[in-house]
Amino acid sequence: MSIIRFFINRLWVLFFAVGFTISSSYAFAQPLHSVMLSLPAHSEEALSWCGPATGQMIMAGYPSGSCSVLQEDVWTAIQSYKTETVWDTDPAGLKGALKNLCPPTGTWSIHPETDAQALMYSVAFWMTKNNYPAAGLLNTVSHNSYTAHEEHWVAIKGIITSADPTTNPTVNLEFLWFNDPAVPLGDPALERFVTGSTWYSEFQPVSKAGSSYLGKYVAIIEPPEIKGLAIAPTEVLTGKIIKPDFALKLADRWIEKFKLHELKSYGILKKAKALAPLLVNEKHGGYYIVPYSIKGQLAEAAVIVNAYTGNFQEVGAFKSVKYMSRQEAVQIATTHLQKREISPQPESLSDKIRTELIYPQGERVVSRYFPIWKVTINNKVIGVGHQGKVYTKIPSQEFSIPLPGRTPAGITWDGKQLWSIDGKTKKLQKIDSLSGAVTRSLDLDLSRPKGLAFDGVSIWVIDEATKKIHSFDPENGRLKKTIKMEVPAEKGFQSVEGLTWDGKYLWTAYFAGFSSSLNQIDPQNGRIVRSIFADCNPRGISSDGEYLWSICFNGKNLPAKIDKRKIQDNEHEMLRSRKFIADIEGTEPTGLAYDGRYLWYTDRHLKRSFRVFPEKSE
Amino acid sequence: MQTGIIRLTLGLLSLFIIFSSGCAHKYAVLVSTNKVTSDNVSYHSEWWYDLFLQYSMLRDNGFKDDKIYVLYGDGTDFNTMYADYNATNQYGHSITDMAVSKANVQSVFNTLGSKVKSSDYLYVWWMGHGGGSGPGSCNLSMAISNTGETVTDTELAGYISNVSSYKKRTVDVMTCHSGGMLDNMDNVGNKTVTLTSSTCPENSYSISTTCNGRPHAEFHYTLPNALKEKNPCGTAVTSDYDGNGYVSLSEAHQYNSATMTTSTPQLGDPDSIAAGTYIKKGTP
């Protein structure tokens, strides 16, 4: 049996070595190296059981022979070996189950790495060497309707690299093939074949506060430990959207070029016809789903292409499903509102309806293949899942990380990582922007810290109690300079609500009712160089030197908004350049930072920092 | 028979006298010094929401559209998502007559100078940013944010005085430090009631809770509610304290004082006419 399995595995290697030698947009100059293992696809049998399902699949794919275990038994074993209670399935629990539940065992090791490329190299190396599948922790983002469950385990069964990882310390990660058990409960597991770029765009370090793995990428591999890198280009996340017809043509082309239909899981692609492509996440991170069907409108597989470049991202197969149309989604949303006696007002519905397909980045409660229709009817927003599930609260669309401390009071970006200041603990902390892991913590001697800015060398913090602005050395927390915080007499002052650096000057935000102001400050002496009306209730400001962004707080019942103004000499011209670019989640926003691509804001109540794409174009 | 003829003659004579001298008119100038680009933003959307509420209150109290001069933004209504704050939806036409600018403010009062008669009533409403300087922060400087211009309290009083003939007038100012307007209008014999949102040193604020959840300046939410005797949702408010069927400007001020929490509304009434000024009446 084991000999047969070994040869099956090697046959896949041969197939891909030949199949991917052909030229493509990925411009393979040499035969690719691949390991493709045969694993059954098991979905999670409970909403928090993606770990047990992953273990169950991996044990069925041992090269020494399949081992069939019940998912419930895997769950029980995981609980007995678990060392961290903040997880449903922690790495130690899953490792213990793999090691002990189904002899003959491997040695199985937990690989926690701060570098995703280093970890994926280990996966490629040992999968090549030993032919065991691996358990990969895709991320710790909520991914189904049970949002308290965060860790998202998948079973990696195939990996394709530009060269043999056992003889090359650096390889390109071309494709990854894995079973994702965490699709909507009741559906079969999804078999996803994705590019290295797509994998890395979803692969995130642990962001569970209190875990020893915080900030680390994790996989459980048989066995340890090797040094190397598996690299992949970064996904393009913005740009001009390609047309649906072109996306469809490209999907057909990728199927042929990569011979996707030769893989058993995607065999239907040989006969299937493409249905109308669906555009998802149009504004940022957009992609087209091109469904394929051999039964009219019932899709059984889909190819996903980048919505801006048309590049192949992945292919997936699933049970027959009819994608919900816009009209059906609107009908469901309308019916839901009418049942709640929220009558669409005032004019005809067609004037006030907006629809878009979204794949929420913050809470991945649905699969990438089955996004949610976000239907806005006269300012009421309803989500409709592809199975008709109604979301009265749209799942979080923004990626976020936990913040340390009790009262986040400011945030800034130092060019590489985020910094946060806590109003209660008075700690200034450097934070990994992918996981929220604290990488440096400095105690500051301040009474009421609020607002944070980085000038390229020092970190500036306002002490609201003493109305002074201090600069600190971010290496050691040493106080470098203190200036007085000037308040414009004619505009009054009630509270300070933000601090930023525009490349030459500091800016402060003050709340004072209709006289709330944004003030450009000379960092040498604290004098106000200019003061403009905020025209909102500011709760954080940020600048890149060209633009000034601010959070406008609108009470607990209306969403706060981020606005953007071009910094100009005349106040009214700045005001006229102002655009409201995003509604934000959370109820207590405080602090805003720009990292060169994204804006980050903190929420005092949720104790998290959220990432927002600012749509910087004019 | 003779008595009847005499009565008829006297009646016709009375009508002749009334019509020959002309009916009394109610004029209003509404100035909102900014431009709204988004619904539901505190300290921003008010520039339209408050203006619309004020216009609506005046119409409910018998002011005719052609006697209400609206200066706002670039000269066109804000296309709000809320049908009940959309003028075209509510009145069948836009309400903005011209863009807000210093020149247009002067121009509108110059125009009214030749229109408003001694029997007419003039209502002036100003909404914008204000800065206070000088003794007690009572020198008020008002920003026209849309153009970058400023109008001082002295200048605004001068513009208004270009309308020299009137029976009574009311000046309503919602800015921070708006109390600074009082000393410019409080001259005995001017027959002017001045209502402001705050004292000289105070800022002005948005109200935290409104019946429809929309942001409004506190003063410009409570004042029209008082004068209309209902809030924007149609719920009655009790501002006719003496129960005579009319809300005087004194009663409106009393209602503001009792209701407002974020700043202290002020009343200037050097001729003691506020208690007898009812804007709902044909001749306030």
Side-chain angles (χ1 to χ4, degrees):
Chain A
M1 175 67 178
S2 61
I3 292 170
I4 294 169
R5 291 182 61 82
F6 177 80
F7 278 108
I8 288 171
N9 295 337
R10 287 300 162 182
L11 277 173
W12 281 115
V13 175
L14 180 65
F15 164 75
F16 271 93
V18 175
F20 284 99
T21 307
I22 57 174
S23 63
S24 73
S25 71
Y26 290 86
F28 305 132
Q30 56 188 10
L32 299 179
H33 188 275
S34 63
V35 179
M36 305 295 274
L37 306 175
S38 180
L39 293 193
H42 293 307
S43 59
E44 57 184 358
E45 293 172 6
L47 284 169
S48 58
W49 281 17
C50 62
T54 297
Q56 185 187 29
M57 289 188 275
I58 286 173
M59 284 183 263
Y62 281 179
S64 55
S66 167
C67 173
S68 180
V69 290
L70 292 175
Q71 208 172 104
E72 188 175 354
D73 293 338
V74 186
W75 169 255
T76 305
I78 287 169
Q79 300 314 304
S80 66
Y81 294 108
K82 195 160 92 173
T83 57
E84 294 189 353
T85 55
V86 293
W87 305 68
D88 292 310
T89 296
D90 76 338
L94 185 54
K95 176 195 160 187
L98 290 172
K99 198 164 178 175
N100 297 292
L101 199 59
C102 194
T105 67
T107 54
W108 292 107
S109 296
I110 299 167
H111 288 240
E113 293 273 6
T114 52
D115 183 348
Q117 296 175 344
L119 181 64
M120 291 315 294
Y121 179 83
S122 294
V123 172
F125 183 96
W126 288 113
M127 283 184 71
T128 302
K129 194 103 174 164
N130 291 347
N131 280 285
Y132 273 83
L137 182 61
L138 187 57
N139 49 54
T140 49
V141 176
S142 303
H143 54 84
N144 59 34
S145 55
Y146 177 41
T147 52
H149 170 66
E150 293 171 328
E151 65 268 20
H152 188 168
W153 290 97
V154 297
I156 300 170
K157 60 180 180 178
I159 190 160
I160 299 173
T161 49
S162 58
D164 183 348
T166 60
T167 55
N168 295 277
T170 300
V171 294
N172 291 328
L173 177 60
E174 303 291 353
F175 298 96
L176 205 73
W177 195 30
F178 61 95
N179 288 352
D180 183 351
V183 290
L185 194 65
D187 282 1
L190 201 61
E191 294 182 59
R192 295 177 64 185
F193 181 79
V194 307
T195 63
S197 303
T198 300
W199 171 261
Y200 283 132
S201 70
E202 290 186 44
F203 195 31
Q204 285 161 11
V206 172
S207 58
K208 275 181 173 294
S211 169
S212 62
Y213 301 99
L214 186 63
K216 306 260 176 66
Y217 298 85
V218 175
I220 301 172
I221 311 172
E222 164 60 27
E225 171 182 343
I226 195 73
K227 297 284 181 196
L229 292 176
I231 58 178
T234 306
E235 276 290 345
V236 174
L237 297 174
T238 60
K240 190 178 174 190
I241 300 281
I242 61 172
K243 293 193 169 154
D245 288 353
F246 187 49
L248 191 150
K249 279 181 189 167
L250 287 171
D252 281 343
R253 190 186 298 171
W254 300 138
I255 290 170
E256 287 306 314
K257 279 201 169 181
F258 298 151
K259 297 189 185 304
L260 297 173
H261 49 73
E262 301 291 346
L263 273 168
K264 189 180 170 188
S265 307
Y266 315 117
I268 71 140
L269 292 173
K270 198 162 191 173
K271 297 179 187 170
K273 288 188 176 171
L275 303 176
L278 302 161
L279 175 61
V280 186
N281 290 354
E282 180 177 358
K283 290 175 185 166
H284 180 253
Y287 61 91
Y288 275 104
I289 299 170
V290 184
Y292 282 84
S293 171
I294 52 173
K295 299 177 193 166
Q297 291 300 304
L298 289 175
E300 290 181 64
V303 171
I304 294 182
V305 298
N306 187 298
Y308 316 105
T309 64
N311 280 350
F312 174 73
Q313 289 189 331
E314 64 177 283
V315 60
F318 37 82
K319 74 171 183 182
S320 296
V321 65
K322 182 176 179 293
Y323 275 97
M324 181 177 285
S325 69
R326 174 187 180 275
Q327 289 79 4
E328 289 170 305
V330 169
Q331 185 58 49
I332 290 171
T334 306
T335 304
H336 178 81
L337 288 176
Q338 286 168 343
K339 274 183 189 168
R340 296 174 66 204
E341 297 182 341
I342 302 171
S343 56
Q345 51 135 353
E347 297 94 358
S348 66
L349 274 176
S350 59
D351 292 336
K352 293 285 181 179
I353 295 175
R354 293 195 310 276
T355 55
E356 58 182 316
L357 277 169
I358 57 160
Y359 170 56
Q361 297 290 315
E363 290 172 273
R364 293 172 180 171
V365 295
V366 292
S367 147
R368 240 188 135 208
Y369 288 83
F370 303 110
I372 296 170
W373 279 106
K374 181 179 177 182
V375 184
T376 308
I377 303 176
N378 296 330
N379 204 34
K380 301 283 184 304
V381 182
I382 294 290
V384 182
H386 86 106
Q387 292 176 321
K389 179 179 177 179
V390 170
Y391 295 83
T392 51
K393 178 182 180 295
I394 294 286
S396 174
Q397 291 176 253
E398 297 161 1
F399 170 73
S400 67
I401 54 171
L403 287 176
R406 289 182 286 170
T407 311
I411 190 170
T412 192
W413 178 259
D414 72 359
K416 289 181 179 174
Q417 295 294 351
L418 290 166
W419 288 79
S420 169
I421 183 76
D422 191 87
K424 284 261 165 60
T425 64
K426 322 284 194 296
K427 285 186 187 298
L428 174 65
Q429 290 172 307
K430 189 176 182 181
I431 295 162
D432 173 29
S433 60
L434 287 173
S435 63
V438 176
T439 55
R440 188 172 300 158
S441 186
L442 305 166
D443 290 307
L444 301 187
D445 183 18
L446 298 172
S447 298
R448 203 159 68 229
K450 226 172 167 188
L452 212 54
F454 180 69
D455 67 5
V457 178
S458 305
I459 286 186
W460 294 80
V461 189
I462 296 174
D463 191 337
E464 190 179 34
T466 59
K467 290 196 173 64
K468 286 179 179 168
I469 310 175
H470 308 279
S471 80
F472 294 94
D473 185 335
E475 292 299 318
N476 49 29
R478 184 177 59 84
L479 178 66
K480 293 174 73 176
K481 189 180 181 71
T482 296
I483 56 176
K484 191 181 165 197
M485 185 182 91
E486 193 184 0
V487 174
E490 74 282 8
K491 292 186 178 175
F493 174 83
Q494 203 163 81
S495 60
V496 61
E497 298 294 345
L499 181 69
T500 191
W501 173 257
D502 71 2
K504 188 177 179 185
Y505 297 103
L506 292 163
W507 286 78
T508 55
Y510 298 148
F511 175 69
F514 277 95
S515 288
S516 298
S517 58
L518 309 177
N519 308 284
Q520 199 172 26
I521 307 280
D522 186 335
Q524 296 305 315
N525 52 32
R527 299 299 303 271
I528 290 176
V529 177
R530 65 188 296 205
S531 178
I532 65 174
F533 287 108
D535 278 295
C536 80
N537 182 347
R539 285 293 180 90
I541 51 173
S542 190
S543 177
D544 65 350
E546 186 180 3
Y547 295 99
L548 188 64
W549 292 275
S550 58
I551 294 176
C552 294
F553 180 63
N554 299 306
K556 296 205 185 294
N557 297 321
L558 292 171
K561 292 177 186 286
I562 297 178
D563 71 359
K564 179 187 82 171
R565 309 169 208 224
K566 191 170 174 57
I567 297 176
Q568 296 177 81
D569 290 339
N570 292 323
E571 177 177 358
H572 75 283
E573 286 172 358
M574 275 186 78
L575 188 61
R576 292 178 75 94
S577 76
R578 180 192 203 193
K579 287 180 179 169
F580 292 93
I581 59 170
D583 287 5
I584 62 178
E585 299 170 20
T587 54
E588 284 287 343
T590 170
L592 188 66
Y594 181 62
D595 70 6
R597 184 170 196 181
Y598 295 99
L599 287 163
W600 292 82
Y601 70 90
T602 58
D603 187 275
R604 196 164 16 212
H605 174 65
L606 298 173
K607 297 180 177 54
R608 296 188 77 85
S609 186
F610 293 82
R611 195 180 71 181
V612 181
F613 182 62
E615 298 179 76
K616 222 183 144 188
S617 58
E618 285 297 288
Chain B
M1 179 69 177
Q2 251 189 343
T3 311
I5 292 169
I6 291 168
R7 279 182 180 163
L8 181 64
T9 307
L10 285 173
L12 289 172
L13 192 62
S14 302
L15 285 172
F16 174 77
I17 291 167
I18 289 168
F19 282 110
S20 64
S21 63
C23 291
H25 294 295
K26 299 193 283 193
Y27 287 89
V29 178
L30 310 184
V31 182
S32 179
T33 59
N34 217 320
K35 181 185 172 185
V36 176
T37 58
S38 174
D39 278 300
N40 297 331
V41 180
S42 293
Y43 299 100
H44 170 75
S45 303
E46 291 91 333
W47 308 121
W48 175 259
Y49 293 173
D50 289 12
L51 173 66
F52 183 82
L53 208 57
Q54 195 66 213
Y55 177 90
S56 169
M57 179 276 290
L58 292 173
R59 291 297 302 273
D60 278 12
N61 280 310
F63 285 67
K64 293 190 169 62
D65 177 68
D66 66 348
K67 302 279 186 296
I68 304 174
Y69 295 77
V70 176
L71 290 79
Y72 162 76
D74 291 336
T76 55
D77 288 7
F78 170 57
N79 185 22
T80 174
M81 64 164 62
Y82 296 118
D84 54 341
Y85 279 30
N86 183 304
T88 304
N89 190 293
Q90 294 297 309
Y91 297 104
H93 58 79
S94 61
I95 61 171
T96 305
D97 296 299
M98 61 189 87
V100 62
S101 69
K102 199 166 181 172
N104 282 349
V105 172
Q106 293 177 71
S107 169
V108 88
F109 286 110
N110 288 339
T111 301
L112 284 176
S114 60
K115 290 191 176 214
V116 180
K117 306 299 180 198
S118 58
S119 57
D120 295 340
Y121 172 70
L122 177 64
Y123 183 93
V124 178
W125 180 91
W126 184 282
M127 165 104 184
H129 288 305
S133 60
S137 297
C138 280
N139 294 338
L140 175 63
S141 173
M142 292 167 280
I144 300 180
S145 302
N146 206 41
T147 61
E149 299 166 298
T150 55
V151 174
T152 66
D153 47 7
T154 308
E155 286 175 317
L156 180 60
Y159 301 156
I160 295 171
S161 70
N162 284 334
V163 185
S164 55
S165 183
Y166 55 88
K167 185 182 178 196
K168 287 181 188 173
R169 61 185 186 181
T170 300
V171 177
D172 161 350
V173 181
M174 199 306 298
T175 67
C176 293
H177 312 285
S178 53
M181 199 69 214
L182 292 169
D183 59 347
N184 300 87
M185 305 306 297
D186 272 2
N187 298 317
V188 175
N190 262 355
K191 296 168 290 180
T192 303
V193 176
T194 307
L195 297 157
T196 70
S197 57
S198 62
T199 62
C200 290
E202 280 181 329
N203 287 340
S204 295
Y205 296 86
S206 271
I207 188 168
S208 57
T209 306
T210 58
C211 70
N212 52 19
R214 294 169 209 166
H216 279 284
E218 185 176 39
F219 179 66
H220 275 166
Y221 183 72
T222 57
L223 180 62
N225 288 353
L227 292 171
K228 210 171 169 178
E229 293 185 81
K230 61 183 177 186
N231 67 21
C233 306
T235 305
V237 302
T238 307
S239 48
D240 177 14
Y241 291 101
D242 61 11
N244 68 352
Y246 295 96
V247 179
S248 71
L249 293 180
S250 290
E251 288 173 317
H253 176 65
Q254 187 181 347
Y255 179 80
N256 282 342
S257 300
T259 311
M260 289 175 63
T261 59
T262 61
S263 61
T264 317
Q266 300 294 299
L267 173 75
D269 184 19
D271 296 317
S272 301
I273 59 173
T277 302
Y278 307 97
I279 69 166
K280 191 176 177 181
K281 288 190 172 180
T283 307

